Amino acid sequence: MTLSTDAGPSVKPLSASAEAMLAALDRVANELATRPAETGDTVLRAHPLALVVRRQSFVVVLAPASVWDRQRELFGPWTEKLASVEARLVLLGRPTDPDLGKALNLGLAAILPAEPSHDELVVALHQAFEFMDVKARSESRGKWLNRYRYELGELIDIARALTTEREIDKLLGLILEKSRFVTGADAGSMYVVEGDDPRPAHRSLHFKLSQNDSLSFDSREFTMPISARSMAGYVALEQKTLRIDDVYDMPVGAPFAFDRSFDEKVGYRTKSMLVTPLTSSKGEVIGVLQLINKKREAKQKLLSPEDVERNVVPFDERSEELVKTVAAQAGIALENAILYDDIRKIFEGFVQASVDAIEARDPTTSGHSRRVADLTVGLAMAVERADSGPYRAVTWTREGIREIEYASLLHDFGKIGVREHVLIKAKKLYPGDLELIRQRFEFVTRTLEAEILTRKLLLVQRGAGEADLAPLDQELAQRKKELEEAWLVVEGANEPTVLAAGDFKRIEELGRQSYTRLDGQVETLLNGREVQSLSVMRGSLTNEEFNEIRSHVSHTYRFLSQIPWGSTFSSVALIAGAHHERLNGTGYPNRLRAEEIPLQSKLMTISDIFDALTASDRPYKRAVPVEKALHILGLEVKDGHVDGDLVRIFTEARVWEPVMGALY
């Protein structure tokens, strides 16, 4: 134990009792100096009335009790230390002040006799230093435990956030943000491994994004080969974490280097760096996380090289442990997000292939499904923006909008179950049927010509002259004219327009007018099915064909119900299967009433009607202007078929403009 002196604060002239205290304190000092209790202890005469014993970072102040009673202000210089874990107080002699609470608050450790023995001093000092050491270790453990709890809480929050985000770009941003947060990094970057080659060196690294708290700059995505020449490439190849204290001073023999061009371009100074791989459940590297410049203070901006020198520190082992923990979670989350994205692409490919298959069977409606989907989604978004009316509280999730899109794209999926010749029937007669009627008329004409020619030959054989043959020529011409007119009536009636009353009667007459076939059987110019088809008052379909077309909605529901949509898109079949229902219960196939029809189906009904009216690719009808289509929708509202509030929102938001602006 060594003894040193310090004049300390000045002291007033002392009385005889004070001089006695000083003498006693001198003896204690000499006792401590000549008979050390612990090698390495230092005894300091910090004040004439106080001794300070220092052991490592702890101190014990020894002072006469009378100083505590009468000159307590002398403890001022040590008050802060005495109130902390770093110092304890030992009084020599018994104080007269009965309230020792303040002394205990200041760290009173023991009360010894005015002239304690060596053993008493040793025990008191030992207990005081032991107490401080135990308390310091306890507080250290408490701080470590609090830090552990904090980090554990952050890791739990990070895990929760990573497992709930499925969009790859957002997930990558979240991984980088959380990794920077737990390590105190100022900046960072994310890379994703691309390519299917089983050899990592034959794949590439896709730079996806960067973050920087100190600078704002535009970063563009780029792709580079996986190579050990870059730190990210080295980590991807070796599946090892790199910790570099200063990238401007790389370890000797390192295969990788740091490109300073970015720093020079944006005026930044990259110093410490931590680079770690993101691996899949199979142990394959699927990404690389790069953290830059660990800071002493997270809020500090690194705006100059001096800021970097003062505030940037190397990434430590704890930072590496934390980022590896985050990376382990992030790798699985990224793998799941990639798989989810692949499944989504496969699913959307299936949906698009289904739409293509539908439209391949009915080319006249090509593009209809996509337009209806876009219109319905646009109307759904407009409904969400509505601040008044019965739908002002409607909101959609991202999955809800996608469900509407899928249901709209597949709303005509059931057309696969409709016979193709019915599905694409553009006129009242099928092309083959019209050709048969034409051939039938030609046969009747040729038969008539042969009959007239036979009659002429008989008259000539009997010596008839040219004047006798003339009536036969007139008869032939008249009957051929009647057949030609009848054919024109058939051709006109075949068009999908409103049939005139006179033409309807003429069709019925042709259905009763007979001719004799070569085999002697008598048939009519038009059979019953042909008369029925040509007698359709509007459009091109008979009642039976119309019902078959309408059955596509039931087929749609039946087919889509067999697809395992999962809970996210569980209502696709129901939404698609109700788009021909009407609010007043006169729709099909289930005659649902307003309260039974899903809101999404009500949206789709409006879009379906609007596109059917305005589409310009239907060969059997002309497209109507938007104004007229809106007028017809208004009539549908009056008839109780569609929702008036939704039509109003559709009109006010001009939902069709983004979808059909180029066409109308």
Side-chain angles (χ1 to χ4, degrees):
M1 181 179 293
T2 59
L3 177 64
S4 61
T5 60
D6 186 348
S10 61
V11 112
K12 298 177 182 179
L14 300 175
S15 62
S17 60
E19 290 180 353
M21 284 190 295
L22 286 176
L25 200 60
D26 288 340
R27 286 192 292 273
V28 170
N30 291 331
E31 181 70 24
L32 292 174
T34 56
R35 302 175 66 183
E38 193 78 33
T39 303
D41 284 359
T42 300
V43 180
L44 173 68
R45 193 66 173 266
H47 187 276
L49 297 178
L51 287 174
V52 174
V53 181
R54 185 184 304 278
R55 182 179 297 175
Q56 297 176 353
S57 61
F58 307 122
V59 296
V60 175
V61 179
L62 295 94
S66 57
V67 175
W68 175 259
D69 289 334
R70 301 187 189 95
Q71 293 178 285
R72 197 171 301 174
E73 68 276 3
L74 295 180
F75 292 101
W78 303 291
T79 298
E80 184 176 345
K81 283 189 175 183
L82 288 170
S84 70
V85 71
E86 298 175 352
R88 295 284 101 185
L89 174 64
V90 174
L91 295 180
L92 303 176
R94 186 170 297 278
T96 59
D97 188 346
D99 182 12
L100 294 178
K102 291 183 179 180
L104 291 172
N105 287 339
L106 287 176
L108 178 62
I111 298 177
L112 299 178
E115 295 187 23
S117 68
H118 174 75
D119 291 340
E120 289 173 326
L121 282 173
V122 170
V123 171
L125 290 174
H126 173 78
Q127 289 179 336
F129 284 122
E130 182 71 16
F131 175 82
M132 285 186 285
D133 182 59
V134 170
K135 186 176 181 182
R137 283 189 278 114
S138 175
E139 290 187 356
S140 177
R141 284 195 299 270
K143 291 179 180 179
W144 179 87
L145 182 60
N146 289 337
R147 176 64 184 176
Y148 174 78
R149 288 173 176 170
Y150 169 77
E151 291 174 350
L152 181 60
E154 288 299 322
L155 291 176
I156 291 173
D157 290 342
I158 290 171
R160 185 181 298 113
L162 293 181
T163 54
T164 55
E165 183 56 63
R166 291 179 176 175
E167 290 192 20
I168 293 178
D169 289 344
K170 290 184 179 180
L171 177 62
L172 293 174
L174 187 63
I175 293 171
L176 183 55
E177 176 189 350
K178 296 300 184 181
S179 300
R180 290 174 51 238
F181 178 75
V182 297
T183 60
D186 183 60
S189 304
M190 284 294 307
Y191 297 84
V192 174
V193 176
E194 294 182 341
D196 299 324
D197 197 298
R199 296 165 294 180
H202 289 74
R203 299 182 185 180
S204 57
L205 277 178
H206 187 163
F207 175 84
K208 295 291 291 184
L209 79 155
S210 64
Q211 296 174 359
N212 192 305
D213 284 342
S214 298
L215 294 178
S216 296
F217 55 88
D218 293 330
S219 62
R220 297 181 179 180
E221 296 186 21
F222 62 87
T223 302
M224 64 181 185
I226 294 181
S227 167
R229 289 192 294 271
S230 68
M231 285 181 283
Y234 177 85
V235 166
L237 284 175
E238 300 297 329
Q239 299 189 27
K240 295 180 179 178
T241 297
L242 277 181
R243 211 167 75 213
I244 307 297
D245 293 347
D246 190 345
V247 295
Y248 284 21
D249 184 18
M250 286 290 188
V252 177
F256 45 80
F258 177 75
D259 184 1
R260 303 188 186 187
S261 61
F262 171 80
D263 284 5
E264 296 169 353
K265 180 180 179 181
V266 301
Y268 191 68
R269 167 64 163 100
T270 302
K271 190 174 183 182
S272 60
M273 189 174 287
L274 180 61
V275 191
T276 193
L278 304 182
T279 56
S280 69
S281 57
K282 298 178 181 179
E284 298 177 349
V285 177
I286 57 176
V288 174
L289 169 63
Q290 184 170 275
L291 302 177
I292 300 170
N293 287 349
K294 179 179 176 64
K295 296 184 291 188
R296 298 180 190 274
E297 296 293 335
K299 296 181 179 180
Q300 180 67 45
K301 301 286 187 180
L302 305 180
L303 303 178
S304 67
E306 292 75 22
D307 291 336
V308 174
E309 290 302 317
R310 283 193 303 269
N311 298 299
V312 173
V313 296
F315 289 94
D316 53 17
E317 290 185 5
R318 186 57 182 162
S319 295
E320 183 174 339
E321 291 174 358
L322 288 172
V323 81
K324 282 182 176 179
T325 302
V326 174
Q329 302 173 67
I332 301 301
L334 179 58
E335 179 184 26
N336 290 338
I338 291 173
L339 290 174
Y340 180 83
D341 190 58
D342 288 342
I343 293 172
R344 181 185 60 81
K345 289 177 179 177
I346 292 171
F347 183 75
E348 290 183 348
F350 159 75
V351 171
Q352 187 57 51
S354 301
V355 172
D356 291 343
I358 296 166
E359 296 184 344
R361 297 189 77 238
D362 186 8
T364 59
T365 60
S366 178
H368 170 71
S369 297
R370 180 72 262 176
R371 292 195 299 270
V372 169
D374 291 342
L375 287 168
T376 307
V377 168
L379 178 55
M381 301 301 290
V383 167
E384 189 174 42
R385 294 193 300 269
D387 53 8
S388 62
Y391 299 110
R392 62 184 178 277
V394 171
T395 58
W396 310 103
T397 64
R398 181 175 57 191
E399 290 77 14
I401 289 295
R402 189 167 292 170
E403 183 178 53
I404 291 173
E405 180 183 13
Y406 290 158
S408 301
L409 282 170
L410 296 171
H411 75 283
D412 281 340
F413 189 58
K415 287 182 177 179
I416 292 176
V418 178
R419 291 178 298 168
E420 186 171 2
H421 66 279
V422 175
L423 189 64
I424 64 175
K425 188 181 181 185
K427 298 186 178 183
K428 297 178 183 179
L429 293 171
Y430 298 110
D433 292 340
L434 185 63
E435 178 63 20
L436 286 174
I437 295 174
R438 186 187 67 79
Q439 292 176 4
R440 195 179 302 151
F441 272 58
E442 289 179 352
F443 174 78
V444 172
T445 300
R446 294 300 175 90
T447 301
L448 180 60
E449 289 174 347
E451 178 186 339
I452 294 297
L453 182 58
T454 300
R455 290 167 61 187
K456 278 185 175 184
L457 288 174
L458 290 174
L459 289 176
V460 170
Q461 289 175 355
R462 295 173 183 175
E466 184 175 344
D468 299 321
L469 300 178
L472 292 177
D473 291 333
Q474 293 173 0
E475 180 184 350
L476 177 60
Q478 178 62 31
R479 294 183 66 179
K480 289 178 68 174
K481 180 181 179 182
E482 292 173 357
L483 286 171
E484 289 173 357
E485 290 174 350
W487 173 249
L488 292 176
V489 169
V490 170
E491 281 191 316
N494 190 41
E495 295 300 321
T497 55
V498 177
L499 186 65
D503 289 342
F504 180 76
K505 291 181 179 180
R506 188 73 178 104
I507 292 297
E508 286 186 332
E509 291 174 359
L510 293 174
R512 293 190 296 269
Q513 188 173 340
S514 63
Y515 73 98
T516 303
R517 294 185 351 182
L518 289 177
D519 59 4
Q521 291 187 3
V522 178
E523 290 192 1
T524 55
L525 282 174
L526 297 177
N527 61 38
R529 184 176 60 80
E530 294 163 348
V531 170
Q532 181 186 20
S533 297
L534 291 170
S535 299
V536 171
M537 295 299 297
R538 182 188 297 272
S540 63
L541 301 174
T542 65
N543 288 336
E544 292 78 9
E545 291 166 341
F546 184 66
N547 288 333
E548 184 174 351
I549 290 290
R550 282 163 49 126
S551 72
H552 83 276
V553 186
S554 298
H555 294 319
T556 292
Y557 179 79
R558 181 164 57 87
F559 293 155
L560 295 183
S561 295
Q562 297 178 39
I563 298 174
W565 296 95
S567 59
T568 305
F569 306 125
S570 59
S571 297
V572 166
L574 181 63
I575 296 169
H579 75 279
H580 277 299
E581 300 289 352
R582 294 174 174 175
L583 303 187
N584 60 7
T586 61
Y588 61 92
N590 298 314
R591 303 181 72 84
L592 301 178
R593 300 195 65 84
E595 63 276 8
E596 300 173 299
I597 304 173
L599 173 58
Q600 301 94 318
S601 302
K602 296 176 182 178
L603 304 176
M604 196 192 310
T605 299
I606 294 171
S607 302
D608 191 42
I609 294 173
F610 181 85
D611 185 70
L613 292 170
T614 57
S616 59
D617 53 4
R618 309 292 174 92
Y620 49 83
K621 73 171 190 64
R622 293 181 179 179
V624 303
V626 169
E627 293 75 13
K628 186 174 181 180
L630 295 176
H631 174 71
I632 294 173
L633 281 174
L635 297 178
E636 292 286 314
V637 172
K638 290 182 179 179
D639 291 339
H641 295 170
V642 297
D643 190 301
D645 289 296
L646 295 179
V647 171
R648 174 183 57 80
I649 294 173
F650 183 88
T651 304
E652 292 177 353
R654 302 182 70 83
V655 171
W656 62 88
E657 286 188 343
V659 180
M660 303 181 180
L663 299 177
Y664 302 101

